[in-house]
Amino acid sequence: MIPPEIITDIERERQRQDEQWGGAEHDDTHGSVDWMRYRRKFEDRVLLYDGPQTRRDALIKIAALAIAQIESLARKQEKNRARAATARRAMGWKS
């Protein structure tokens, strides 16, 4: 089980990221390579930071970025399913 304070910190970081970058609308403009680069930037910082709190902060950012990517993938998959269903209906196919 993940300690609640870690979940809370990740949720706060996700909220901060959404406020800074614009949320789902912005996130969904990025592909897998973009997300990998963003996480990599903070992974490199984990190695460079010398205090446990700063390393922890970077790891929280990485976790929040991973969640943002998962959320974005879910939205994109849902949009693709909806488009496919619309196309099937337009062609007279049954779902």
Side-chain angles (χ1 to χ4, degrees):
M1 169 85 63
I2 300 171
E5 63 273 9
I6 293 174
I7 298 296
T8 298
D9 289 347
I10 294 169
E11 288 172 341
R12 281 190 191 128
E13 176 59 20
R14 278 294 302 125
Q15 183 177 355
R16 188 198 67 74
Q17 290 170 353
D18 281 349
E19 289 169 2
Q20 180 176 359
W21 300 107
E25 186 174 314
H26 172 81
D27 290 350
D28 293 352
T29 65
H30 298 294
S32 294
V33 172
D34 297 322
W35 290 107
M36 180 187 66
R37 286 181 183 148
Y38 301 146
R39 285 192 312 274
R40 183 60 192 209
K41 176 175 129 180
F42 288 104
E43 288 168 357
D44 290 344
R45 289 180 184 180
V46 170
L47 298 173
L48 298 173
Y49 289 151
D50 54 356
Q53 185 61 40
T54 52
R55 283 193 295 269
R56 182 187 186 280
D57 292 345
L59 290 167
I60 292 293
K61 290 180 186 303
I62 293 166
L65 284 168
I67 290 169
Q69 182 180 11
I70 293 166
E71 292 170 341
S72 179
L73 285 170
R75 286 188 298 271
K76 289 175 182 180
Q77 288 172 341
E78 184 55 37
K79 285 180 187 176
N80 287 339
R81 279 193 288 274
R83 282 190 205 121
T86 300
R88 285 191 299 273
R89 281 192 301 274
M91 294 188 299
W93 295 2
K94 297 192 186 229
S95 297

